[in-house]
Amino acid sequence: MKNIIILHFLIVSCLFSCKKNEKNDSQNINSQEKKDTIVNSSVIFLLTPDDIEIKELKEKHGEDNFYTIADDANYYVSQIRDISPQKLNKIRYKNINFSREDYVFKKNAYSDKWLIINYNEGSKPKVYSLVDYYMSLNGEGKENRDFSYYEKNDDYFTRDIDINKDGFKDKVVSSKKNMGDDLIFFLGNEKSKYQFALKTYNFSEDGGFVIDDIKPLTNNSTNEVFYITTYFDGSGGAQRINYVAYEGNKWKLTRSVYITSDWRSDVNKEYYCDVKQNIALDDKKIREKLHPMPDETVRNKVCKSRYKFEDTLGQFEENIKNSVNYTGIERYQELLLKFPINNSNILQYNNIAYYLYEKGAYNESILLIKEILKKDPNRVVAWFNLADLQWELGNKNEAKKSYQQYILLMKSQGKDLKKIPNRVYERSK
């Protein structure tokens, strides 16, 4: 191949640069140049690198390697033209808007700059590398590739996980973010040989959830062997964790855990929605059968909620002080679990209870004060604050007892009784 590199480079230059030579190919390739275009009818596009991309490829791979890559691309273009039942329309662009499918193809999202887009009106366009498209024309699919193809391909990542519970690590291959939705299994053995087992869906969606990672499940009492994390690539920060089990020599999606925030009213409140799926991974209609996140109108009933907190109690206290409106009894029950009351933080909790009182969050403040008094029942000021809160809420009998306890502690601890407000004596009778 090196011996004829100059010849092939001339051919590649012809394909990618020379306007004169494109006319000679007009019977096979209809060449257009547009930065952006809208497509409304069935077509097959040939995408090639522009001058800037050629320069970037040379810098990335080196000139010699670039010419070899271009030589290979030229070979497959020639082969595809010979066997393709339809014309290839060569186009240079930045975006292609397939308006009837509500889909915009963005060239910058793909590392491979030689691509084929096969669009049939009424279906989402399919994007192929030159090799993929050539193989599809010859009746060969990705299933026939060995693991080495994906190992060397920058559009995929691989995780080593025992997915069939035989004690040998297998290869789980997935398209990277915005590079497709392939999920491919190769089973390993004692000789570290990998045999293709399944090609399926990695739960990525155009305009929706995108792939994050794939991780094994250990010490799991169920048949679930790994999970796939995806997240919503936009506002809201929703996540979806998809759990895969191995049962009866088959893999199936058992459940999806959706995690989303209550972004309209409280961004620090998260819902955890465990949705049963039970869909075989080899089901061709897995995308259509996938159960979505529960609607927000029913999340309080069917999902669990929890709160996100700052890294330290001091940070939480500062946010409360600076008018961040954190309300809700459940929030403070969880806060107490995250930061249990002790001698070193009891003053911080007392301050938080006071700030809540100032904001009118009386029930939340009472919850914290009662926990403070469990830790330190002789804390005089806590009984005073508790009594005032109970009175404000109309719980006058409870308030009366708390005022009496406050007076008792003031006396037993030798405090200045002149500092006791008159309302305390009036309300304690």
Side-chain angles (χ1 to χ4, degrees):
M1 187 173 284
K2 292 285 186 178
N3 293 334
I4 56 173
I5 194 71
I6 296 175
L7 174 60
H8 285 301
F9 175 63
L10 291 174
I11 296 172
V12 172
S13 298
C14 170
L15 278 170
F16 303 143
S17 304
C18 301
K19 297 288 183 181
K20 294 186 297 182
N21 292 341
E22 284 178 351
K23 294 179 181 179
N24 295 333
D25 289 333
S26 62
Q27 293 180 349
N28 297 304
I29 300 177
N30 176 25
S31 178
Q32 307 175 45
E33 280 202 25
K34 292 183 180 179
K35 289 184 178 180
D36 301 279
T37 189
I38 298 175
V39 177
N40 293 313
S41 58
S42 299
V43 68
I44 298 178
F45 285 134
L46 167 65
L47 284 66
T48 61
D50 59 26
D51 293 338
I52 294 175
E53 290 165 339
I54 288 174
K55 182 179 178 181
E56 291 173 348
L57 288 169
K58 286 181 178 180
E59 291 175 353
K60 180 179 179 180
H61 299 288
E63 283 207 3
D64 286 347
N65 288 332
F66 165 76
Y67 294 149
T68 301
I69 294 168
D71 176 42
D72 290 339
N74 180 54
Y75 167 80
Y76 280 107
V77 169
S78 175
Q79 293 296 310
I80 290 168
R81 285 191 301 169
D82 288 342
I83 62 177
S84 177
Q86 297 173 264
K87 287 183 179 180
L88 303 182
N89 292 267
K90 184 179 177 184
I91 185 168
R92 291 185 176 178
Y93 67 101
K94 292 299 178 186
N95 302 306
I96 301 178
N97 184 356
F98 297 88
S99 57
R100 292 185 177 177
E101 314 309 327
D102 193 25
Y103 173 76
V104 178
F105 175 88
K106 296 183 178 181
K107 188 179 184 183
N108 290 337
Y110 289 81
S111 59
D112 192 344
K113 301 306 176 185
W114 286 272
L115 294 169
I116 297 287
I117 301 180
N118 187 358
Y119 173 51
N120 291 304
E121 188 176 346
S123 301
K124 179 184 170 183
K126 294 183 178 180
V127 183
Y128 300 84
S129 69
L130 294 179
V131 175
D132 285 350
Y133 192 65
Y134 173 74
M135 292 174 69
S136 70
L137 292 175
N138 282 283
E140 299 176 49
K142 293 181 180 179
E143 291 81 356
N144 293 329
R145 294 179 180 155
D146 60 24
F147 170 67
S148 62
Y149 169 83
Y150 299 98
E151 190 175 27
K152 299 173 183 177
N153 194 319
D154 290 338
D155 291 341
Y156 297 88
F157 69 88
T158 303
R159 296 291 180 262
D160 294 332
I161 303 171
D162 181 7
I163 61 173
N164 61 345
K165 299 189 288 187
D166 65 353
F168 300 107
K169 288 293 178 70
D170 309 303
K171 299 291 185 181
V172 180
V173 179
S174 173
S175 301
K176 290 182 179 178
K177 175 185 173 182
N178 296 329
M179 293 299 172
D181 58 11
D182 290 342
L183 182 67
I184 307 136
F185 299 162
F186 292 89
L187 300 182
N189 57 31
E190 68 277 4
K191 297 181 180 179
S192 296
K193 299 291 184 180
Y194 299 99
Q195 182 177 1
F196 171 83
L198 178 67
K199 175 180 173 291
T200 183
Y201 171 50
N202 72 357
F203 306 104
S204 293
E205 305 162 349
D206 289 319
F209 288 93
V210 295
I211 188 73
D212 177 37
D213 205 352
I214 302 173
K215 296 182 179 181
L217 281 167
T218 56
N219 300 322
N220 187 24
S221 58
T222 70
N223 290 319
E224 293 170 345
V225 288
F226 68 90
Y227 62 94
I228 302 171
T229 56
T230 58
Y231 65 95
F232 186 75
D233 196 15
S235 61
Q239 302 174 60
R240 183 174 64 198
I241 306 173
N242 306 285
Y243 290 85
V244 176
Y246 184 69
E247 299 174 354
N249 296 322
K250 296 187 72 174
W251 293 274
K252 73 173 182 178
L253 175 68
T254 56
R255 59 195 175 102
S256 297
V257 176
Y258 293 89
I259 305 171
T260 187
S261 63
D262 188 7
W263 60 272
R264 285 189 178 89
S265 59
D266 189 344
V267 295
N268 290 304
K269 184 177 182 179
E270 290 184 326
Y271 288 100
Y272 286 71
C273 310
D274 198 334
V275 178
K276 291 183 179 180
Q277 301 287 0
N278 292 322
I279 309 170
L281 289 194
D282 60 1
D283 192 324
K284 300 300 182 184
K285 295 184 177 181
I286 186 171
R287 293 167 177 81
E288 292 86 347
K289 292 182 178 180
L290 191 65
H291 298 300
M293 182 189 304
D295 187 82
E296 60 185 332
T297 58
V298 298
R299 282 179 200 157
N300 279 323
K301 297 179 180 179
V302 301
C303 304
K304 295 180 180 179
S305 64
R306 79 175 191 188
Y307 292 90
K308 295 185 292 184
F309 294 106
E310 289 78 353
D311 293 332
T312 67
L313 187 62
Q315 292 172 339
F316 186 90
E317 177 191 355
E318 191 67 21
N319 285 335
I320 288 286
K321 181 180 178 181
N322 293 327
S323 300
V324 175
N325 190 19
Y326 287 164
T327 57
I329 291 293
E330 290 180 356
R331 184 193 308 276
Y332 292 92
Q333 290 172 337
E334 291 186 27
L335 181 70
L336 289 163
L337 292 174
K338 183 174 176 65
F339 303 108
I341 291 181
N342 55 49
N343 292 331
S344 63
N345 66 17
I346 196 168
L347 179 59
Q348 288 178 308
Y349 269 112
N350 191 83
N351 293 339
I352 293 169
Y354 174 73
Y355 298 139
L356 288 169
Y357 167 74
E358 282 191 322
K359 298 175 188 300
Y362 296 158
N363 288 317
E364 292 86 341
S365 185
I366 287 175
L367 171 69
L368 293 185
I369 291 172
K370 285 183 175 180
E371 292 300 318
I372 289 170
L373 289 173
K374 286 180 183 178
K375 184 68 178 176
D376 184 4
N378 294 319
R379 194 173 184 83
V380 179
V381 68
W383 284 106
F384 175 67
N385 291 335
L386 177 61
D388 276 350
L389 284 164
Q390 290 169 332
W391 189 271
E392 289 290 341
L393 288 174
N395 300 325
K396 295 187 177 181
N397 287 332
E398 293 182 11
K400 178 181 177 179
K401 295 177 183 178
S402 297
Y403 282 128
Q404 290 172 347
Q405 183 64 20
Y406 165 65
I407 295 171
L408 181 64
L409 288 174
M410 286 289 286
K411 292 177 179 179
S412 66
Q413 294 182 18
K415 304 287 186 181
D416 186 357
L417 301 183
K418 294 179 181 180
K419 292 184 177 181
I420 299 177
N422 289 331
R423 71 176 187 276
V424 173
Y425 290 112
E426 295 172 358
R427 294 175 179 177
S428 64
K429 295 178 182 178

